[in-house]
Amino acid sequence: MQSRIRAAGIADIDEKLRGGERLALEDGVRLFECDDLLAVGALANREREKRHGAKTYFNFNLRLEPTNVCVASCLFCSFARLKPTDAAAYTMTLEKAWDKLRQRAHQPLTEIHVVNGLNPDLPFSYYTELLLGFKRIRPDIHLKCFTAVEIAYFADLYGMTDEQVLTELMAAGLDSLPGGGAEIFAPRVRRKIAHDKCDADRYLSIHRIAHGFGMKTNVTMLYGHIETIEERVDHMLRARGLQDETGGFQAFIPLAFHPDNNQMRKLPAPSAFDTLRVHAVSRLMLDNIPHIKAFWIATGLDVAQTALWFGVDDLDGTVQEEKIYHMAGSPTPEGVTMSHLSRLVRSAGREPYERDTFYNVKEPVPA
Ligand code: V47
């Protein structure tokens, strides 16, 4: 492999990594420009194994999107409906949202991940009641709910500070924040694809506040649309910068753009090659974020499995009821079983571990 890494022109980057030296923006760009994916993957795999050996994590989780009514018109989104009167617009009653959890009383779920549209018609109490109700039904469930973009929207809509919103949601049972809404931090891209979302500084500031309150969060990156390689690496470096300050990010999650039924539908979806490369470079640039997650609903199950040799150590979870990607054309199943994930991991020569949201692991999952 050494001669391959030399031939690929990345021996100096290999040296830096061996010496524990941080990679710079130019290194990240060169890794993206390197055609030898196996050489880049080998470096990423070494970093992965240094941290986690063969361990591969996932949890038993449920995705819920209680409303898709949204005032934002992000070019990549196939889920949002601007008008509540649109035939495909919906807002669940609290009872209906709680029922989704009640119906799964038999499942050993450990986490609910909630993502919503930015709905202008709901009172703030809808969200606090939603959380309180989930905890009443299942006090031990972890509530990973509302992206930083939603938190910013709540603050602006209900006349509160970001701190007040987080404090009130935490009092109602919020346990952590998911990483959604990051898209691409660079203003050139963000203005084009997500012009009415909060900007990168506010997104990062909300995560900073959450970390200061003792919460863990994730951070995502939507790739494969109009962003440049430099803008991808810049995005990673901004996440790395906040992590240096707070240490509160648990996982970095590259999200593959899905082009069906949205305003960027003329663009092709990113290739498997690009997806493996993005995950590998993420592992190499983000030396301070413990986990790199392949969200299998976005990458496809086969590519997520392969990514376990390209820097990835986490596969999210069972993800039942997902809508955002399925409305954008994802052909993946709507949820998989723990034994399916376990088989995928084992047949890739890795070890499956069921985790909770904080990466406490149970025993290895039986095949
Ligand atoms: O922010 C929306 C993305 C995100 C499309 O924190 C799209 O553990 C591709 O953030 N093509 C929401 N992506 C989902 C998300 C997430 C997923 C898994 C795990 C975690 C976590 C967070 O979905 C949005 C946006 O970036 N998205 N539409 C689309 N057409």
Side-chain angles (χ1 to χ4, degrees):
M1 195 37 85
Q2 274 324 104
S3 62
R4 183 165 200 150
I5 287 169
R6 254 196 317 280
I10 53 174
D12 58 323
I13 295 180
D14 181 25
E15 276 308 305
K16 272 191 171 180
L17 291 165
R18 284 174 191 277
E21 202 183 319
R22 272 208 149 161
L23 301 188
L25 183 99
E26 311 78 62
D27 299 318
V29 170
R30 279 176 56 214
L31 288 166
F32 269 114
E33 285 170 346
C34 175
D35 287 333
D36 191 341
L37 178 60
L38 289 186
V40 176
L43 296 182
N45 188 52
R46 193 173 70 204
E47 294 302 316
R48 181 245 204 255
E49 290 185 355
K50 226 193 267 174
R51 291 166 173 79
H52 308 291
K55 287 195 175 110
T56 301
Y57 310 95
F58 49 83
N59 68 356
F60 205 128
N61 63 352
L62 170 67
R63 169 67 81 80
L64 270 191
E65 293 105 348
T67 178
N68 69 345
V69 174
C70 188
V71 295
S73 41
C74 301
L75 297 193
F76 54 81
C77 189
S78 318
F79 165 73
R81 292 294 176 274
L82 263 78
K83 296 198 199 78
T85 50
D86 188 302
Y90 70 85
T91 299
M92 292 180 192
T93 60
L94 288 169
E95 281 300 333
K96 181 162 179 192
W98 295 332
D99 268 347
K100 297 275 181 191
L101 183 58
R102 289 191 192 107
Q103 285 156 7
R104 294 177 189 277
H106 58 289
Q107 290 186 342
L109 277 174
T110 62
E111 173 194 279
I112 309 182
H113 173 181
V114 171
V115 187
N116 284 310
L118 306 178
N119 189 321
D121 302 318
L122 293 170
F124 187 56
S125 59
Y126 178 88
Y127 303 100
T128 49
E129 285 299 319
L130 182 73
L131 301 177
L132 287 164
F134 285 146
K135 290 280 188 185
R136 262 196 310 274
I137 295 162
R138 241 162 129 157
D140 57 341
I141 202 87
H142 180 108
L143 298 179
K144 181 174 86 175
C145 306
F146 317 124
T147 65
V149 169
E150 289 167 74
I151 303 295
Y153 183 69
F154 296 160
D156 296 347
L157 183 66
Y158 305 118
M160 295 193 259
T161 62
D162 297 342
E163 285 84 350
Q164 281 169 336
V165 171
L166 285 171
T167 304
E168 296 210 10
L169 292 174
M170 286 171 79
L174 180 69
D175 293 303
S176 68
L177 293 185
E183 320 316 356
I184 289 283
F185 291 142
R188 182 194 75 88
V189 180
R190 205 171 179 81
R191 264 198 305 271
K192 279 193 181 150
I193 68 166
H195 70 276
D196 36 21
K197 267 187 179 161
C198 73
D199 67 9
D201 286 345
R202 180 107 180 257
Y203 175 97
L204 290 168
S205 153
I206 288 169
H207 281 267
R208 184 182 290 108
I209 295 164
H211 297 166
F213 287 170
M215 265 203 285
K216 292 292 182 190
T217 74
N218 291 334
V219 52
T220 58
M221 177 179 82
L222 180 70
Y223 67 92
H225 43 92
I226 60 162
E227 83 289 0
T228 63
I229 283 171
E230 282 79 3
E231 285 161 343
R232 287 180 182 180
V233 182
D234 166 74
H235 186 97
M236 292 173 193
L237 293 184
R238 291 186 202 223
R240 191 172 82 180
L242 179 56
Q243 183 72 344
D244 279 343
E245 275 181 51
T246 65
F249 287 132
Q250 298 204 105
F252 184 79
I253 312 154
L255 294 170
F257 169 60
H258 278 252
D260 287 4
N261 309 317
N262 59 54
Q263 295 177 69
M264 293 199 288
R265 58 189 169 273
K266 289 225 162 61
L267 295 178
S271 64
F273 181 95
D274 196 23
T275 288
L276 293 174
R277 196 169 57 166
V278 170
H279 287 79
V281 178
S282 304
R283 177 64 288 162
L284 293 171
M285 296 307 298
L286 296 165
D287 56 357
N288 56 0
I289 299 188
H291 302 282
I292 303 294
K293 181 188 286 193
F295 184 48
W296 59 265
I297 301 248
T299 61
L301 281 162
D302 293 346
V303 178
Q305 181 192 39
T306 313
L308 300 180
W309 290 91
F310 289 79
V312 167
D313 63 278
D314 188 275
L315 291 177
D316 198 81
T318 51
V319 203
Q320 307 155 89
E321 302 248 354
E322 199 284 337
K323 288 196 174 58
I324 295 177
Y325 283 84
H326 289 97
M327 288 171 83
S330 171
T332 54
E334 280 209 30
V336 291
T337 61
M338 293 296 274
S339 59
H340 189 144
L341 287 173
S342 165
R343 268 197 310 279
L344 273 181
V345 172
R346 263 186 220 290
S347 62
R350 297 304 206 186
E351 295 165 6
Y353 280 82
E354 182 180 352
R355 62 163 174 85
D356 65 14
T357 311
F358 297 129
Y359 290 84
N360 299 306
V361 293
K362 297 190 178 171
E363 290 307 299
V365 185

